[in-house]
């Protein structure tokens, strides 16, 4: 795998007047409530280890107070850890002095804030250009850039307004434009879309995904909305009381929640929409490439299968049913026996799109990719189990 | 056991000795350095005299026009502008023009000095809790100590005149600017400051572009209070030779001229109202667009 862009190693954060003194308690494994009761210190983060790779959208999730904002503020050292390291592009930013850190914040990372953090006395245009102003970029140049980004987030014409004159959603987009305007590689977004109504929100999510595809930024995105996490995240980290509970791809988290906490999170998710065929399909074992009916029958009996996939190399040709083959008379060619009612499904389709097909047909659905190759099978019972929320171990792709 | 019934006082002789030593030491100090310190303030004195002469020498109608223009630019209110014009005309009509101009000049200079000295102190206080812990009690003392008490050393050092008066007024009037600058900066929204840090603002950039502008409503309120307090101090300062509306008031007290006192007091009130309304209207207007930004 490639080198991680950001690497968090053994990160602890204890809030309070004298955190160093009470760290032994944390290492003894006391939990957040116990530490608060004993020392009046709040355990913000506990032993966080994670790597973030270039170009991914990394989502951090958790309930209110679980430490999401605390964690993301360590990435650009708005908060300094009590223990542990933050390594960006192989450099430990904990060793940066003020000047170096300032340079790093100007060039490498930009941030969108939970409550916008716009400068109320600056116009929208000046707010967007703010990062460049700090870098002493000439006025004309930075305003030109800011204008362009304002257009990109759909706020052309609002340049001379002040933040207080904008709606919450518009202010958030100003915040996004400000973050993009510095051309930093890494975008930190702390609940950037929480203040938006559902319609604008999904519009912004699309915009973000689109942006990421176009600009290849690395995005660290905080949300407490799992649907949002599943929609935009390449990987998701789940925090509880400052601890990293689970880290994985969206489907892994949906299908194999690490514990009850995660389970509760994922319970209400519309799996049919959130999961794609690929994440739940099984390997297609029973592949038949022979034209001889008897050979085919023998192979199916041996593998104990009612259905088989007729293939030519990797290419999918059709589905065979045991009943049909057994009833057939010898001279018929195998091609004529292929099940016609059965359509192949694409690995990228959401499950909800393939439900009708599974209802028409009792056997497993062939999963066929764009090249026409057979990549797996989707049995009806597996689909039902996934959708009703009782996954079994053998469904790992 | 006499200390049970009588206060264990320092003996009269010791007390006298203590006072004599302190007074003597201070007198020596002022004899030694008085001239140097006076020389230090010379440029300020020249400026003060020049400014006062300028205000008095300017034809009255031009002066009223200028003040009305300033009012208009600051407040953009026709009613206020006309009101200021009428009030100033009345002050002149009742024979107090020169004194009013003297007072206006010293108040202006005092305010400028209070801002130049007070705002940086307020900024330093906001930057460190330690500085705040040291400066706050000093401000408390400055505000509660009777003004006459700190007039004494100033007069001993610099004699009677404009400069000691100015120093006394500034000492009396400066605490609000300092306090409210400190408070204003401390009250700046934390997330806005975080944004400044996250976008790599240097401490100076953060102060100039973020903290001071956002603290401005509070700083303005402090300046406003400072102006009011220096106006109140004008009468006391006139006891040590500051020309202006304070002197006729002082004369009225000693000679029991009620009307004279009332008229001059009224002129001070007119100045106070002008300063107050104009500075508030300006502050309000310049903050308008910020609206309710905590949405
Ligand atoms: N400056 C601070 N001083 C003391 N405790 C703090 C501080 N900042 C955060 N905490 C504590 O750390 C914990 C995590 O807070 P954090 O703001 O990271 O939560 P969050 O996951 O972002 O929650 P939300 O979804 O509400 O934004 C909380 O218990 C909070 O009380
Ligand atoms: Mg938060």
């Amino acid at each position: 795998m490639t080198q991680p862009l950001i690497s968090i190693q053994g990160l602890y954060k204890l809030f309070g007047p004298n955190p160093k003194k009470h760290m032994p308690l944390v290492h003894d494994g006391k939990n957040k409530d116990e530490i608060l009761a004993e020392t009046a210190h709040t355990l913000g983060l506990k032993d966080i280890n994670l790597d973030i790779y270039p170009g991914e959208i990394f989502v951090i999730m958790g309930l209110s107070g679980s430490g999401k904002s605390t964690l993301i503020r360590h990435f650009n050292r708005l908060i300094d850890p009590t223990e542990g390291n933050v390594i960006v592009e192989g450099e430990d930013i904990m060793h940066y002095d003020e000047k170096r850190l300032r340079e790093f914040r100007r060039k490498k990372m930009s941030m969108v804030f939970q409550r916008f953090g716009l400068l109320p006395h600056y116009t929208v245009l000046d707010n967007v250009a703010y990062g460049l102003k700090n870098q002493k970029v000439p006025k004309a140049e930075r305003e030109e850039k800011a204008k362009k980004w304002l257009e990109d987030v759909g706020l052309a014409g609002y340049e001379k307004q002040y933040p207080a004159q904008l709606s919450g959603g518009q202010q958030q987009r100003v915040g996004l434009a400000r973050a993009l305007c510095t051309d930093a590689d890494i975008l930190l977004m702390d609940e950037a879309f929480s203040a938006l109504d559902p319609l604008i929100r999904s519009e912004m999510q699309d915009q973000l995904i689109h942006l990421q595809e176009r600009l290849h930024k690395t995005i660290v995105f905080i949300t407490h909305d799992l649907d949002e996490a599943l929609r935009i995240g390449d990987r998701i980290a789940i925090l509880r009381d400052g601890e990293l509970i689970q880290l994985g791809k969206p489907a892994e988290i949906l299908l194999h929640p690490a514990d009850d906490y995660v389970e509760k999170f994922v319970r209400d998710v519309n799996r049919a929409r959130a999961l794609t065929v690929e994440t739940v399909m099984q390997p297609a074992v029973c592949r038949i490439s022979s034209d001889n009916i008897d050979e085919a029958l023998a192979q199916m009996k041996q593998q104990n299968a009612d259905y088989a996939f007729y293939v030519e190399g990797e290419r999918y040709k059709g589905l065979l049913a045991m009943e049909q083959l057994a009833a057939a008379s010898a001279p018929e060619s195998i091609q004529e026996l292929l099940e016609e009612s059965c359509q192949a499904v694409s690995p990228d389709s959401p499950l909800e799109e393939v439900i009708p097909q599974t209802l028409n047909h009792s056997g497993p659905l062939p999963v066929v990719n764009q090249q026409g190759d057979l990549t797996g099978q989707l049995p009806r019972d597996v689909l039902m189990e996934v959708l009703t929320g009782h996954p079994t171990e053998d469904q790992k792709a | 056991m006499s200390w049970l019934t009588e206060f264990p006082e320092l003996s009269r002789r010791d007390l006298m000795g203590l006072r004599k030593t302190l007074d003597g030491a201070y007198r020596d100090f002022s004899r030694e350095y008085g001239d140097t310190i006076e020389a230090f303030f010379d440029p300020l004195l020249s400026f003060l005299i020049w400014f006062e002469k300028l205000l008095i020498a300017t034809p009255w109608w031009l002066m009223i026009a200028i003040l009305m223009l300033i009012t208009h630019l600051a407040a953009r209110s026709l009613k206020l502008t006309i009101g200021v014009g009428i009030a100033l005309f009345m002050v002149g009509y009742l024979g107090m023009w020169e004194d009013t101009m003297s007072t206006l000049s010293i108040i202006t200079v005092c305010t400028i000095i209070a801002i130049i000295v007070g705002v940086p102190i307020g900024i330093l206080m906001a930057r460190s809790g330690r500085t705040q812990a040291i400066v706050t009690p000093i401000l408390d003392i400055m505000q509660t100590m009777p003004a006459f008490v700190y007039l004494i050393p100033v007069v001993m050092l610099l004699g009677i005149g404009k400069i000691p008066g100015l120093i006394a007024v500034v000492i009396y009037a400066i605490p609000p600017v300092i306090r409210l600058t400190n408070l204003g900066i401390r009250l700046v929204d934390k997330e806005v400051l975080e944004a400044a840090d996250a976008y790599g603002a240097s401490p100076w950039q953060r102060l100039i572009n973020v903290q001071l502008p956002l603290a401005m409503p509070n700083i303005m309120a402090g300046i406003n209070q400072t102006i009011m307090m220096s106006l109140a101090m004008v009468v006391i300062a006139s006891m040590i030779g500051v020309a202006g509306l304070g002197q006729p008031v002082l004369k009225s007290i000693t000679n029991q001229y009620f009307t004279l006192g009332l008229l001059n007091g009224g002129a001070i009130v007119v100045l106070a109202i002008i300063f107050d309304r104009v500075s508030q209207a300006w502050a309000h207007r310049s903050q308008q667009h910020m609206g309710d930004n905590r949405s």
Side-chain angles (χ1 to χ4, degrees):
Chain A
M1 221 168 185
T2 44
Q3 199 68 11
L5 183 62
I6 306 172
S7 181
I8 304 283
Q9 298 173 352
L11 201 72
Y12 288 86
K13 178 67 189 180
L14 193 55
F15 287 109
N18 197 354
K20 283 264 185 268
K21 183 178 149 206
H22 299 295
M23 276 310 283
L25 284 179
V26 179
H27 287 299
D28 285 348
K30 296 250 161 90
N31 70 26
K32 184 170 175 169
D33 293 336
E34 288 167 341
I35 289 171
L36 185 64
E38 273 180 51
T39 67
H41 283 54
T42 310
L43 183 57
L45 292 174
K46 181 175 175 186
D47 198 19
I48 305 288
N49 292 284
L50 50 87
D51 290 335
I52 295 173
Y53 294 92
E56 76 174 332
I57 300 186
F58 188 92
V59 175
I60 302 172
M61 280 200 59
L63 296 178
S64 191
S66 57
K68 306 182 294 294
S69 298
T70 308
L71 178 57
I72 207 170
R73 275 167 173 68
H74 280 86
F75 288 37
N76 58 359
R77 279 189 61 192
L78 286 180
I79 298 180
D80 277 342
T82 314
E83 261 177 38
N85 297 308
V86 180
I87 291 159
V88 179
E89 290 185 330
E91 281 188 58
D92 188 348
I93 65 166
M94 297 315 300
H95 294 144
Y96 284 180
D97 60 10
E98 286 221 356
K99 196 154 163 269
R100 189 84 182 70
L101 181 63
R102 221 156 36 227
E103 212 45 39
F104 169 80
R105 285 168 171 170
R106 285 176 183 176
K107 298 278 161 68
K108 272 270 160 303
M109 282 190 191
S110 53
M111 190 160 181
V112 182
F113 288 85
Q114 191 166 355
R115 279 171 292 127
F116 319 140
L118 298 178
L119 309 178
H121 58 300
Y122 275 18
T123 61
V124 164
L125 190 68
D126 288 342
N127 262 292
V128 175
Y130 180 63
L132 295 179
K133 183 184 165 102
N134 282 339
Q135 297 178 29
K136 304 201 176 77
V137 172
K139 195 173 164 72
E141 188 184 332
R142 66 178 191 244
E143 289 195 343
E144 188 186 331
K145 255 189 160 167
K147 262 208 175 84
K148 174 182 149 298
W149 282 114
L150 264 182
E151 274 167 31
D152 265 33
V153 299
L155 284 178
Y158 285 88
E159 287 86 357
K160 292 278 167 285
Q161 302 279 87
Y162 285 90
Q165 296 168 305
L166 266 53
S167 76
Q170 290 171 325
Q171 291 187 46
Q172 195 54 279
R173 281 188 271 172
V174 176
L176 185 61
R178 173 173 69 175
L180 294 168
C181 195
T182 62
D183 285 332
D185 301 334
I186 304 168
L187 216 56
L188 306 175
M189 305 182 70
D190 189 352
E191 300 203 23
F193 299 159
S194 300
L196 310 181
D197 62 70
L199 219 65
I200 297 184
R201 188 167 176 160
S202 72
E203 201 175 288
M204 293 283 289
Q205 290 167 353
D206 289 341
Q207 210 170 24
L208 190 72
I209 295 172
H210 180 68
L211 207 88
Q212 201 270 350
E213 281 165 0
R214 195 156 51 102
L215 305 170
H216 306 290
K217 305 240 179 225
T218 306
I219 300 174
V220 182
F221 191 98
I222 291 185
T223 177
H224 52 225
D225 175 2
L226 188 62
D227 283 317
E228 185 168 72
L230 294 170
R231 177 133 187 241
I232 64 173
D234 292 318
R235 285 192 304 150
I236 300 176
I238 297 188
L239 290 182
R240 180 188 59 204
D241 290 348
E243 284 182 74
L244 184 60
I245 302 292
Q246 190 171 10
L247 174 62
K249 294 211 160 71
E252 284 166 36
I253 291 195
L254 266 188
L255 295 173
H256 310 286
D259 64 3
D260 289 351
Y261 177 78
V262 184
E263 167 98 51
K264 263 185 214 144
F265 255 112
V266 302
R267 188 172 297 158
D268 297 330
V269 168
N270 183 349
R271 289 159 173 254
R273 189 167 301 164
L275 291 172
T276 57
V277 168
E278 190 171 33
T279 58
V280 296
M281 70 185 185
Q282 297 177 338
V285 239
C286 199
R287 294 164 182 248
I288 289 171
S289 46
S290 152
D291 273 345
N292 185 313
I293 295 181
D294 291 335
E295 264 178 49
L297 273 172
Q299 193 181 339
M300 285 170 80
K301 275 205 182 100
Q302 191 197 342
Q303 294 188 337
N304 202 11
D306 292 334
Y307 291 90
F309 304 102
Y310 180 58
V311 293
E312 195 180 294
E314 285 296 307
R315 182 88 2 127
Y316 172 73
K317 289 288 177 192
L319 186 75
L320 293 166
M322 175 83 118
E323 283 173 18
Q324 295 277 18
L325 288 186
S329 48
E332 272 179 292
S333 103
I334 220 164
Q335 266 96 349
E336 286 162 38
L337 293 169
L338 296 175
E339 292 275 310
E340 287 186 355
S341 65
C342 168
Q343 294 163 339
V345 297
S346 148
D348 299 326
S349 313
L351 293 183
E352 65 179 356
E353 277 178 22
V354 306
I355 292 174
Q357 268 112 300
T358 57
L359 294 179
N360 291 340
H361 172 65
S362 61
L365 290 176
V367 182
V368 176
N369 68 13
Q370 274 179 330
Q371 286 80 44
D373 295 345
L374 180 66
T375 57
Q377 63 175 11
L378 182 64
R380 182 148 80 172
D381 52 338
V382 169
L383 184 64
M384 288 312 141
E385 272 175 21
V386 168
L387 292 184
T388 50
H390 303 289
T392 51
E393 266 311 298
D394 56 54
Q395 281 160 20
K396 271 184 194 159
Chain B
M1 300 292 261
S2 65
W3 57 268
L4 274 180
T5 51
E6 261 168 69
F7 204 96
E9 285 177 332
L10 204 59
S11 80
R12 202 165 279 240
R13 209 160 44 105
D14 290 346
L15 202 58
M16 183 88 88
L18 178 73
R19 288 204 313 244
K20 267 204 175 127
T21 334
L22 283 181
D23 284 355
Y26 188 72
R27 199 162 289 136
D28 288 346
F29 168 80
S30 56
R31 226 170 260 146
E32 188 86 11
Y33 297 104
D35 290 343
T36 333
I37 295 175
E38 242 183 283
F40 173 77
F41 283 114
D42 262 353
L44 185 62
L45 181 63
S46 326
F47 174 73
L48 200 57
I49 291 170
W50 172 80
F51 189 58
E52 188 178 345
K53 281 209 177 122
L54 177 74
L55 289 194
I56 293 172
T58 310
W60 63 269
W61 48 268
L62 183 57
M63 200 62 215
I64 292 184
I66 291 172
L67 289 174
M68 282 173 74
L69 181 68
I70 293 175
T71 309
H72 174 71
L73 289 180
R76 296 283 151 94
S77 151
L78 195 63
K79 224 164 79 188
L80 187 60
T81 309
I82 291 175
V84 165
I86 293 175
L88 283 172
F89 182 80
M90 282 312 291
V91 165
Y93 190 66
L94 293 170
M96 298 176 291
W97 185 255
E98 255 183 47
D99 284 342
T100 306
M101 286 304 108
S102 298
T103 299
L104 185 61
S105 83
I106 193 153
I107 295 304
T108 310
V109 174
C110 283
T111 306
I112 292 170
I113 293 175
I115 293 171
I116 291 174
V117 177
V119 170
I121 296 179
I123 292 171
L124 289 179
M125 270 172 90
R127 288 182 72 104
S128 105
R130 190 90 145 285
T131 317
Q132 174 172 257
I134 296 169
V135 176
T136 306
I138 298 179
L139 293 181
D140 292 340
I141 293 172
M142 281 162 74
Q143 280 190 302
T144 45
M145 180 78 84
F148 294 101
V149 176
Y150 56 74
L151 280 181
I152 304 166
V154 175
V155 172
M156 279 169 76
L157 194 62
L158 298 170
I160 295 226
K162 280 190 173 23
I163 290 294
L166 183 113
I167 292 175
V169 173
V170 170
I171 291 178
Y172 179 75
I174 204 173
V177 189
I178 301 179
R179 276 189 212 277
L180 282 152
T181 301
N182 172 38
L183 182 74
I185 292 178
R186 282 176 186 266
L187 285 183
V188 171
D189 188 2
K190 201 173 142 276
E191 204 166 60
V192 176
L193 284 181
E194 268 193 329
D197 283 339
Y199 285 93
S202 66
W204 177 253
Q205 286 174 327
R206 193 165 66 150
L207 180 70
I208 295 300
N209 296 332
V210 182
Q211 287 174 307
L212 283 183
L214 291 180
M216 208 34 94
N218 278 311
I219 297 178
M220 282 306 296
I223 292 175
N224 190 352
Q225 278 188 36
T226 288
I227 296 172
M228 296 303 121
M229 286 176 72
S230 38
L231 273 167
M233 188 65 181
V234 157
V235 178
I236 295 172
S238 68
M239 287 176 65
I240 53 169
V242 174
L245 292 166
Q247 289 197 330
V249 172
L250 207 61
K251 196 159 82 190
S252 333
I253 297 172
T254 41
N255 297 319
Q256 305 182 356
Y257 297 151
F258 177 61
T259 315
L260 182 69
L262 197 66
L263 287 178
N264 283 281
I268 293 179
V269 171
V270 166
L271 280 183
I273 290 176
I274 294 175
F275 269 119
D276 182 62
R277 289 299 130 80
V278 171
S279 68
Q280 289 212 19
W282 180 76
H284 180 72
R285 218 165 51 82
S286 65
Q287 305 299 333
Q288 234 166 17
H289 60 263
M290 292 185 11
D292 168 35
N293 64 305
R294 312 267 182 273
S295 53

